[in-house]
Amino acid sequence: MTTLLQLTFAGLSLGAVYALISLGWTVLFQVARIYNLAQGAFVVVSAMTYIALADDLGWPVPLAVAGALAVCLALGLALYGVILNRRTARGEAGPIVMSLGSALVIAETLRYLWGVDARTAAAFLPTGPVRIMGATAVPHAMLLWTGTAAMFGAAWLLFHRTLLGKALRACAESATAAQVVGIDPRRMRLAAFGVAALFGGVGGILLAPLIAVSPHEVLPLGIFGFIGAVVGRWRYLPAAAGSVLLGLITSYAGGYGATSWQNAVLYGSVIAALLTMRQRRPGHRPLSGVRGLVRRGDRTPVTEAAGP
């Protein structure tokens, strides 16, 4: 029982990070209709920027957090210009290829700046473990769990209680109808990149004191978030549940089997997710609670309203 609970704690930590990444995937797909393979870059960039500011430069934790999130937000806005410009956002393949290329460029840039070695942030909470039913959990892991839950609560408030969130939901429902009522779909796609970057950035900061992060994780983290989004049918709360399930399965596979089984389970999940996506097209209403507002087929492809 103790072993099961310990593995559950480890799986919850992995699943929490995957959930924040899947949330970014979901927002971008629903609003911009793209698959952003660079989504994992927000986590790694945020974590390594936080480590550089807090540990290397000695910034106070609040300032280091703000600095890391600012860098992530700037990266998200820059990726919007790279992925959704008129020259490359043609058809479905253009944005995917540009996002993949962006992920590789970001990973190489991080290797140049900080090297290839994985890094962990210094703990800013007490390091003594907390015993729960015979198993142990460190305070930073508990902060990651509660922080992820808080971010999903913030996402619900954003999408349902703010004008920006309602505009994002309108564009997710129908870009054409949103444009008719005065909402600029291009600005909403830009805002979606910013929201996705901030969610990934929070995940990186919460993860940094727990697990060593390296530039090699840019693409894999994005793929694992993609699995959660597909399992959740592109609805942000089911995507969170799917991501946590993925983290738990990975942890159990490594604990009860062998560590080498973890990668097999993860990438096997990629194959299963892709097969599921081919058989059943993803839903289009994770951000919207309004049904019947516009016709289901009234959607503007990204190729018709690409950013500048």
Side-chain angles (χ1 to χ4, degrees), residues 65-162:
V65 169
L69 291 179
V71 170
C72 265
L73 180 59
L75 177 62
L77 300 182
L79 284 177
Y80 166 80
V82 172
I83 297 173
L84 292 184
N85 63 77
R86 295 187 184 279
R87 291 186 176 85
T88 59
R90 298 179 182 277
E92 294 184 359
I96 295 176
V97 172
M98 291 303 295
S99 67
L100 175 60
S102 299
L104 297 176
V105 169
I106 292 169
E108 290 301 324
T109 302
L110 293 175
R111 291 189 189 100
Y112 175 78
L113 292 175
W114 288 298
V116 297
D117 296 332
R119 306 188 66 190
T120 307
F124 55 83
L125 292 179
T127 56
V130 178
R131 297 192 65 83
I132 304 174
M133 299 176 61
T136 59
V138 296
H140 274 290
M142 300 173 73
L143 176 64
L144 174 59
W145 306 339
T146 56
T148 300
M151 290 306 297
F152 272 84
W156 186 89
L157 291 175
L158 170 66
F159 298 140
H160 295 274
R161 292 292 184 267
T162 67

Side-chain angles (χ1 to χ4, degrees), residues 28-68:
L28 281 179
F29 176 78
Q30 287 294 318
V31 178
R33 296 293 184 267
I34 65 167
Y35 300 106
N36 180 24
L37 293 174
Q39 189 63 35
F42 298 134
V43 175
V44 180
V45 168
S46 174
M48 301 196 78
T49 302
Y50 171 80
I51 294 170
L53 295 178
D55 296 353
D56 299 344
L57 299 180
W59 285 25
V61 170
L63 289 180
V65 169

